[in-house]
Amino acid sequence: MEFKDYYKALGVSRDASADEIKKAFRKAARKYHPDVSPGADAVAKFKEVNEAYEVLKDPERRAAYDQLGQEPPQGQGRYQPPPNWDSGFSFSEGGPRDDEAFSDFFETLFRRGAGPTGGAYASQGADSHGRIEITIEDAYRGAERTLSLRSPVMAPNGTVTMQDRKIAVRVPKGITQGQHIRLAGQGAPGAGAPGDLFLEVAFAPHPVYRPDGKDLYLDLPITPWEAALGGQVVMPTPGGKVDLRIPKNARSGQKMRLKGKGLPGAPAGDIYATLKIVNPKVTTDEAREFFEKMAKKMPFDPRAHLGGT
């Protein structure tokens, strides 16, 4: 069977968030919908993006698909999934019932080939979904967290009761907002193996940084003389303070990029610092006299471009 690169079909990276995947699907679906696109390949492209979204929107299917890796090099014949690639997963029968709707790749992996029965395990527990809030520093360095959950537990006699339990969670370094952490066997109980627990990652509001994927944004205040004369200033990063060179005649709103200083990865994210010129308060006669002297020595009209001034 032919390998299907679902990330490529939607035009997203392999670490794309759930929201990014949804937006990409909506954009592609509008572009290739047969009622909109007159192209001869519109129907095929529309089916391709639908199939990609059917896999990537589901945390368990996406996690299993990611275990397959990427498309093998050309010249190795038809693609064959590695043995036991779907160990620990069970897939629902969601999606269109029309056998022509999805490719052989999808059908083999997620229906006929999903486990020994060719479908969902009737005895396996259902997957559970939750949310974990972490700090940007947790994502930068990695962390260990303990969650307190109230979840169903199956007793020896087969009855299910709600119990409080604690679960250790390892936050991998470089994880981004919207990604999922999979905890195998920590989902709902079943007659056989329990399901898995999928935790969607959210970042707690940060006093300095604004995350966007692996990139981090912040506002960096500078003085008027630092903006005019340039020089080195100290600015924070999750990995520690660094020196940043301010160019001469810098302007407010100008962006400075620190390559590779964002969240780690391959490649690592960047930090973008937006310069904000902050004027000092004039609280003494000496300071007022200094500004009056500067006004005489450095005539400057920031509104000259508006005309009539």
Side-chain angles (χ1 to χ4, degrees), residues 15 41 90 110 112 116 121 124 135 137 194 196 202 208 217 220 267-268 279 290:
D15 61 355
D41 63 341
S90 65
F110 300 112
R112 292 191 295 268
Y121 295 98
Q124 181 161 338
T135 66
E137 288 78 10
D196 299 332
V208 176
Y217 292 78
L220 183 66
N279 290 307
F290 177 81

Side-chain angles (χ1 to χ4, degrees), residues 3 10-11 28 38 52 54 58 119 128 132 144 170 185 189 233 263 270 285 290:
F3 181 90
L10 292 180
E54 191 68 24
D58 183 275
S128 301
I132 182 172
E144 299 285 340
R170 186 183 68 83
V233 300
L263 296 180
D270 302 327
D285 291 340
F290 177 81

Side-chain angles (χ1 to χ4, degrees), residues 137 140-141 208-209 216 218 233-244 258 261-262 271:
E137 288 78 10
Y140 184 84
R141 301 183 181 91
V208 176
Y209 306 112
L216 300 176
L218 75 153
V233 300
V234 177
M235 68 163 286
T237 74
K241 295 180 179 180
V242 299
D243 289 332
L244 177 68
L258 282 77
K261 295 295 185 180
I271 290 182

Side-chain angles (χ1 to χ4, degrees), residues 32 53 71 99 123 130 145 155-156 170 197 209 226 259 291:
Y32 295 116
Y53 184 61
E71 183 175 5
D99 287 340
S123 61
R145 291 289 178 266
R170 186 183 68 83
L197 173 62
Y209 306 112
E226 288 171 336
K259 186 176 180 180
F291 273 89

